[in-house]
Amino acid sequence: MPELPEVETTLNGLKPYIEQQVIANVIVRHLNLRWPIPADLKKHIINQKIIGAERRGKYILLKTKVGTIIIHLGMSGSLRILTSGVPPKKHDHVDLEFSNNKVLRLTDPRRFGAFLWTSDDPLNHPLLKNLGPEPLNRVFTGKYLWERAQGRKVAIKSFIMDSKIVVGVGNIYATEALFNAGIHPALAAGKLSQTQYETLVHAIKAILRFAIKQGGTTLKDFLQSDGKPGYFKLHLKAYGRNGLPCLNCKKTLKEIKLGQRSSVYCPICQK
DNA sequence: ATGCGGACCTGTTAGC
DNA sequence: TGCTAACAGGTCCGCA
């Protein structure tokens, strides 16, 4: 479900309810997410105050003074704020109950997500240590991408979805950014010009900013933490539109597989 | 180092 | 209508 805009939207919705609040109880109903939820999680976090809630890539970091909860939503995860007492459903795996009577609930049908703990700097955690720059940061430039791409043969779409290159760009926004930039998704990353990379980086930043403003993309069941869907779906130009006419040139959009992910593009507009 | 395919897991949809 | 296969917003891992 979540790419960067959805994670950002989720986090912004949670913050007011959990920051400066104390974790009064922890309920783990299903231990086996992508990695097991640490058996000693409760011991670490009970009675700790959340002193900050941040995002790094698609990871959500809930900081306490003794360590950090690291949450990833995988393909199907979501976090909701509830009032204490709402009965759990089948895929509600974790509850953090706060002293303000609010509950932070992790739901994740496919269980590709993660709910981890580290006592160290979370940015040194193995999962975060090798992440590339934030796409909305000023260090993410056309020049940066172009330099990283030299000699690389992977498809440009797979390249921008590689979290070691840049974080937060998943299948939806990679597809959309390449469409908007007029770049064919299967081109070898090393073949693009620096100018093309400038265009692409601009497109990535623009699409992510706009999607965040729209509250993310709701394809099926993504909801913001207030329960509202995201409205970016209304603006998708390529993703999910295989076989439909290109909104620029009217030719039929095509689909190919790149890195086992479906990739829709316009054979006329994207060269 | 890079590139590729498989793996993790459940739910929904497309196709017969 | 019912069964089966394919597919889905992510990304780590092992192998060539």
Side-chain angles (χ1 to χ4, degrees):
Chain A
M1 169 243 303
E3 299 187 33
L4 187 147
E6 291 73 42
V7 176
E8 180 79 11
T9 300
T10 295
L11 180 61
N12 288 336
L14 302 178
K15 269 188 177 188
Y17 298 98
I18 66 172
E19 277 186 336
Q20 304 308 318
Q21 298 299 324
V22 173
I23 299 169
N25 197 17
V26 182
I27 300 170
V28 176
R29 300 188 188 84
H30 200 129
L31 202 84
N32 293 310
L33 303 186
R34 167 126 203 203
W35 295 277
I37 295 175
D40 59 358
L41 173 73
K42 184 169 181 173
K43 187 189 78 183
H44 285 294
I45 66 177
I46 198 101
N47 293 328
Q48 291 294 329
K49 185 194 285 182
I50 304 293
I51 57 175
E54 299 169 11
R55 180 185 62 72
R56 174 71 176 105
K58 296 173 190 166
Y59 292 91
I60 286 175
L61 307 175
L62 304 184
K63 299 197 162 180
T64 75
K65 71 172 195 283
V66 294
T68 302
I69 300 167
I70 300 173
I71 301 171
H72 196 288
L73 299 176
M75 288 274 257
S76 59
S78 61
L79 289 167
R80 299 285 302 279
I81 292 288
L82 303 164
T83 303
S84 159
V86 179
K89 301 215 186 100
K90 187 174 178 186
H91 301 297
D92 294 342
H93 307 313
V94 185
D95 280 1
L96 296 187
E97 297 183 355
F98 290 91
S99 45
N100 62 355
N101 221 28
K102 294 291 181 188
V103 173
L104 178 63
R105 177 166 288 175
L106 174 73
T107 306
D108 186 2
R110 292 177 74 179
R111 289 190 272 122
F112 287 176
F115 203 103
L116 300 169
W117 168 260
T118 179
S119 301
D120 300 325
D121 180 353
L123 300 183
N124 284 334
H125 189 279
L127 290 172
L128 309 203
K129 199 169 44 172
N130 297 313
L131 293 180
E134 290 289 331
L136 296 178
N137 191 292
R138 56 186 52 211
V139 306
F140 180 61
T141 62
K143 182 160 182 280
Y144 162 82
L145 256 200
W146 178 81
E147 282 173 357
R148 294 292 306 258
Q150 293 316 294
R152 296 292 304 268
K153 293 179 177 157
V154 277
I156 181 60
K157 173 157 174 283
S158 305
F159 183 66
I160 58 174
M161 289 176 68
D162 180 348
S163 65
K164 292 190 291 300
I165 301 300
V166 59
V167 297
V169 183
N171 205 31
I172 296 177
Y173 300 112
T175 298
E176 293 299 302
L178 287 164
F179 178 85
N180 288 341
I183 295 169
H184 194 294
L187 281 184
K191 297 264 177 158
L192 304 216
S193 69
Q194 195 165 335
T195 307
Q196 282 179 300
Y197 275 112
E198 300 288 354
T199 305
L200 179 56
V201 162
H202 182 80
I204 291 171
K205 288 175 189 273
I207 205 82
L208 293 176
R209 284 205 185 97
F210 182 65
I212 290 167
K213 271 196 186 155
Q214 298 293 309
T217 300
T218 298
L219 291 183
K220 292 183 54 184
D221 52 9
F222 170 74
L223 296 177
Q224 305 182 53
S225 52
D226 59 5
K228 287 189 196 135
Y231 297 101
F232 184 74
K233 183 181 183 194
L234 305 172
H235 303 276
L236 293 173
K237 295 185 199 160
Y239 182 89
R241 299 194 69 247
N242 180 34
L244 296 173
C246 171
L247 296 173
N248 293 337
C249 76
K250 311 286 191 262
K251 281 283 274 186
T252 305
L253 297 179
K254 285 192 172 179
E255 178 171 318
I256 47 170
K257 286 272 182 206
L258 295 169
Q260 298 143 285
R261 310 303 297 278
S262 88
S263 310
V264 179
Y265 68 101
C266 174
I268 306 300
C269 300
Q270 292 176 259
K271 300 293 184 193

